[in-house]
Amino acid sequence: MNKIVKIGIAILCITVSLTGITFAGVTIYNSFIKKDKMETRGLFDAGRGYTNYETDLMVNYMTWQNDVGLYYRTITNSNDYEKYKSRILTFPEVSEINFDKDFIVIIANENVRDFDEIDMGISNVYADETTTNIIMKQKENPNMNDTTNVWYAIVDNSQLKDNVKITIEHKKFDNENVIEISKLPLDYSVNTAIEDGCFTLKNNKVVSSNEKQLDEFIEKTEKGERSFVRVYSNYDGNITITDVNFEDGIYYADRGCPNCEKNYRNTYKKIEKREAPNGDYKDIGYVFYEEKNSSDGVPLVIIQNWVEDYKKNHK
């Protein structure tokens, strides 16, 4: 019995010890998460007003992750820390960091971000067997004028692995009874799309039961109403589906196909309906724009030969 009790106590001690490590990491991370309001120049200009390869900390000393368009670096010693401390004024003093227990992760951005990636922060850092995972997420009620482009956190060494992966956690929408694009069957047909209430096109022609569905969607958004529409296009058997959510003045467009591994999200400030002559007819384009005064647009759909040319038929 004594052996059993001793084993039980040992297991309890190990559990408490491991829990303590996890809690310490989380506490350290939450206590020290910061953001830097300096321009990116702080990382690629040593402060003399000019830039060259040698002074660029991002290109020289940080790793580029292409799928999220961000640089990252983990700092595990005071020598590397000093390089960044001279550029990032909000860094904690070295006396606040114990590199025997903690490391610093730095994220840097030099790109124009989509509307759902402005005013982000590091929301979580955790490790699996091989990778330190860094989760970036837009804050609630984001400041759309925020220009923060350097973030860092001090994290317990238990979360430090050989690999680093940044993931941007995007805003999610709960559209009732709508199956995710990637989970739709490969044979998701035109007829099924019509039955499901999609704005449906076949070979760039509208075959929906409600041809005004996109117009009605735009009318709602212009009133500021939260709205959703799914656009289904089948062109010679190639299926493209775009989910458009409108909320708080922003259009979120998620584009993909059934059973695709990845969908692509873009965000826009407005959508317009435009006509373009095409022989005896007019093509109709529903086009996204990033800003109110943008000249370059991104088509949601181009509908060919949809409207008869008024001049041609009224000579």
Side-chain angles (χ1 to χ4, degrees):
M1 179 63 70
N2 288 338
K3 288 184 179 180
I4 294 174
V5 171
K6 288 179 180 178
I7 292 171
I9 293 172
I11 293 172
L12 178 61
C13 290
I14 292 171
T15 302
V16 170
S17 176
L18 291 175
T19 304
I21 291 172
T22 304
F23 180 76
V26 172
T27 301
I28 290 170
Y29 165 70
N30 285 336
S31 297
F32 284 93
I33 184 169
K34 303 263 185 191
K35 66 179 182 179
D36 179 31
K37 288 290 187 181
M38 291 165 50
E39 294 181 358
T40 309
R41 178 170 296 278
L43 286 179
F44 62 72
D45 183 344
R48 300 175 183 175
Y50 64 89
T51 301
N52 57 35
Y53 182 82
E54 287 72 22
T55 64
D56 191 338
L57 291 186
M58 284 190 295
V59 172
N60 251 334
Y61 298 103
M62 300 182 77
T63 301
W64 171 255
Q65 186 174 315
N66 188 61
D67 64 331
V68 292
L70 293 168
Y71 288 92
Y72 67 84
R73 173 73 189 271
T74 56
I75 299 176
T76 59
N77 60 76
S78 57
N79 289 334
D80 289 340
Y81 160 86
E82 292 296 339
K83 294 177 184 177
Y84 289 87
K85 174 62 176 173
S86 64
R87 308 287 186 89
I88 303 175
L89 301 180
T90 62
F91 248 21
E93 298 301 322
V94 69
S95 60
E96 299 178 64
I97 306 167
N98 183 347
F99 284 111
D100 291 332
K101 295 181 178 180
D102 312 318
F103 71 97
I104 303 175
V105 60
I106 301 176
I107 309 294
N109 170 57
E110 64 175 355
N111 299 303
V112 177
R113 309 305 304 188
D114 281 344
F115 292 111
D116 62 342
E117 295 179 355
I118 296 174
D119 198 13
M120 289 191 297
I122 301 174
S123 66
N124 196 10
V125 179
Y126 68 93
D128 55 31
E129 291 183 359
T130 61
T131 305
T132 299
N133 296 281
I134 304 166
I135 310 300
M136 304 287 292
K137 184 178 180 181
Q138 188 177 58
K139 298 173 184 176
E140 292 187 16
N141 303 314
N143 175 9
M144 302 307 286
N145 296 316
D146 185 89
T147 58
T148 299
N149 55 10
V150 181
W151 304 266
Y152 72 88
I154 300 177
V155 188
D156 189 273
N157 277 340
S158 62
Q159 308 303 311
L160 180 61
K161 301 295 181 180
D162 291 337
N163 303 307
V164 173
K165 178 177 175 57
I166 305 168
T167 299
I168 298 177
E169 188 176 293
H170 290 106
K171 185 180 181 70
K172 295 181 179 179
F173 295 91
D174 183 16
N175 297 304
E176 189 176 357
N177 299 323
V178 176
I179 300 173
E180 290 181 27
I181 296 173
S182 60
K183 294 181 180 179
L184 291 170
L186 287 173
D187 60 351
Y188 191 63
S189 66
V190 169
N191 289 336
T192 305
I194 295 172
E195 292 173 1
D196 288 345
C198 304
F199 184 74
T200 308
L201 298 94
K202 184 175 182 180
N203 296 331
N204 291 344
K205 303 290 195 302
V206 178
V207 293
S208 296
S209 56
N210 180 6
E211 293 184 346
K212 296 183 178 180
Q213 189 174 359
L214 273 184
D215 297 321
E216 293 167 356
F217 169 77
I218 293 175
E219 288 176 6
K220 287 182 179 179
T221 65
E222 288 176 344
K223 296 176 183 177
E225 298 178 18
R226 187 192 183 287
S227 305
F228 167 78
V229 66
R230 169 167 284 180
V231 178
Y232 171 99
S233 175
N234 185 318
Y235 191 86
D236 289 343
N238 296 311
I239 299 172
T240 302
I241 298 174
T242 307
D243 284 349
V244 186
N245 285 277
F246 175 82
E247 187 173 287
D248 296 330
I250 297 174
Y251 296 89
Y252 300 82
D254 294 289
R255 193 183 302 266
C257 63
N259 209 33
C260 285
E261 290 185 4
K262 184 177 181 180
N263 295 332
Y264 296 89
R265 170 173 287 186
N266 297 99
T267 53
Y268 306 96
K269 275 290 187 179
K270 68 173 182 175
I271 184 172
E272 288 186 356
K273 179 181 180 180
R274 296 198 166 187
E275 297 182 356
N278 185 358
D280 293 342
Y281 294 84
K282 290 182 180 179
D283 293 345
I284 301 294
Y286 291 86
V287 184
F288 286 119
Y289 294 92
E290 293 185 356
E291 296 288 353
K292 291 182 178 180
N293 299 319
S294 297
S295 56
D296 296 329
V298 177
L300 169 59
V301 292
I302 301 294
I303 305 166
Q304 293 181 328
N305 303 334
W306 200 26
V307 180
E308 286 190 76
D309 192 323
Y310 182 86
K311 293 181 180 179
K312 183 77 175 179
N313 293 281
H314 295 79
K315 289 185 178 180

